[in-house]
Amino acid sequence: MTGPVGIALIGAGRISGQYLDNLTSFPDLDVRVVADLVPELAQRQAAAYGIAESGPPELALSHPDVEIVVNLTVPAVHAEVSLAALRAGKHVWTEKPFAMSRAEGEAVRAAAAEHGLRVGGAPDTFLGAGLQTAFRLIERGDIGEPRSALTLFETPGPVAEHPNLERLLSLGSGPLWDIGPYYLTTLALALGSFRSVSAVGRIARPRRVLQVGPKSGQEITVAVPTYVSLLSEFDTGCTATSVLSWDSPQRREGFLEIAGTEATVSLPDPNHFDGDVRLKRTGDDEWTVVKATGPVAGRGLGVLDIARSVRAGEPHRASGDLAHHVLDAIVAANESVEQGGPRAVESSAPRPPAVPETYDPYARTL
């Protein structure tokens, strides 16, 4: 096929707006359908963005002009929806987590291979100027040989009045599953594939009372750790220490430093597409700011990368193999929290090609 690539969204919840802001502004994409189990929700989002068609998920799966399905459903059904789209002959981009288990992730990758289709997964923030600039700096040896990393994400977590509090404290969410992919994906791309993970985790408040919505006043049991600390080893011999917490009154977000034999680099927040890179060489008193260069867009850049790569017959960058490897590391960390001791990560992360500094999401190329 030629021309802009047809897109359908399945899942018209809160995050769909962030995707639609960008997907409808990339001229190489044509968003044709917004779908949801609640057709009224899909219709509202479609009308807000001038998209002609909306309806149930089946509309997206059967639509002849849709080439890529963007899976924005709840984590529990990510794999189920991705598999349905692949079996319907569509390429797939899925929100994080890639799946809920290694077996589900492997099934999605196998289906993509069987049908000769692409599958990719969030986060796609590493395609932005900030992290790409940091990767180029590391690759050309500005910090010497990478040795270790430290990442910190600490916040008070979702407030009692959060409309999705129950989901955020359910399996497939929590700071490890919801926030971890940003940091772990960045570490895998900077330091190599995870080899093993050791972790401890705690639930600060095992019982919470919902404050809003139809279940207001109902007490729920928190199903995931709200604090996780990880010690990771990589196949390159590097190590990393990571803290992911929704239990801290003190906010520290986006802290990611990599120490090498010659310098330390401070990376931008991996939840963002831009931000300056800072470098401190041995003996320096102050940081040197390295201005980020490259594309700055938002959620949906990974979808565009799949679309352009399909047309060009080239590998896409935010691949299913990479997303599955991060899932593998998250599952290993979860197992370590529950059972103790280090857990092996058997999969590996491919190193995608760098994003050219001249890459322009807003240029028509197809």
Side-chain angles (χ1 to χ4, degrees), residues 63-117:
H63 199 292
D65 297 324
V66 167
E67 296 178 66
I68 302 176
V69 165
V70 179
N71 179 0
L72 305 182
T73 56
V74 297
V77 297
H78 278 178
E80 177 184 344
V81 173
S82 294
L83 286 169
L86 291 165
R87 291 165 182 159
K90 315 297 186 186
H91 307 289
V92 171
W93 170 268
T94 182
E95 249 302 325
K96 57 181 174 56
F98 187 61
M100 291 290 288
S101 69
R102 293 187 183 97
E104 284 187 348
E106 289 165 356
V108 171
R109 290 193 303 156
E114 177 185 353
H115 296 286
L117 295 165

Side-chain angles (χ1 to χ4, degrees), residues 31-207:
V31 182
R32 297 180 177 271
V33 177
V34 178
D36 197 279
L37 287 173
V38 181
E40 296 80 8
L41 185 59
Q43 183 180 26
R44 186 160 60 245
Q45 282 294 72
Y49 288 89
I51 297 163
E53 298 184 70
S54 65
E58 291 75 20
L59 174 63
L61 299 178
S62 62
H63 199 292
D65 297 324
V66 167
E67 296 178 66
I68 302 176
V69 165
V70 179
N71 179 0
L72 305 182
T73 56
V74 297
V77 297
H78 278 178
E80 177 184 344
V81 173
S82 294
L83 286 169
L86 291 165
R87 291 165 182 159
K90 315 297 186 186
H91 307 289
V92 171
W93 170 268
T94 182
E95 249 302 325
K96 57 181 174 56
F98 187 61
M100 291 290 288
S101 69
R102 293 187 183 97
E104 284 187 348
E106 289 165 356
V108 171
R109 290 193 303 156
E114 177 185 353
H115 296 286
L117 295 165
R118 308 292 184 99
V119 62
D124 54 0
T125 48
F126 75 87
L127 300 174
L131 293 178
Q132 285 292 311
T133 298
F135 295 154
R136 287 194 295 269
L137 181 150
I138 295 169
E139 184 69 22
R140 68 177 179 240
D142 287 24
I143 68 169
E145 290 292 327
R147 288 289 185 258
S148 63
L150 174 64
T151 80
L152 296 173
F153 175 89
E154 297 180 310
T155 74
V159 298
E161 296 81 11
H162 196 291
N164 294 321
L165 181 63
E166 184 176 16
R167 183 181 67 78
L168 290 173
L169 299 175
S170 300
L171 294 174
S173 193
L176 175 61
W177 292 79
D178 189 53
I179 303 300
Y182 298 108
Y183 292 84
L184 301 188
T185 299
T186 304
L187 289 175
L189 293 172
L191 302 181
S193 299
F194 286 87
R195 185 170 63 196
S196 70
V197 176
S198 300
V200 294
R202 297 290 184 269
I203 299 175
R205 290 179 286 169
R207 306 288 291 176

Side-chain angles (χ1 to χ4, degrees), residues 305-332:
D305 185 54
I306 290 179
R308 288 181 172 179
S309 297
V310 165
R311 289 286 192 268
E314 299 171 349
H316 60 288
R317 295 173 176 86
S319 67
D321 289 344
L322 175 59
H324 177 77
H325 177 66
V326 172
L327 169 68
D328 194 1
I330 289 173
V331 172

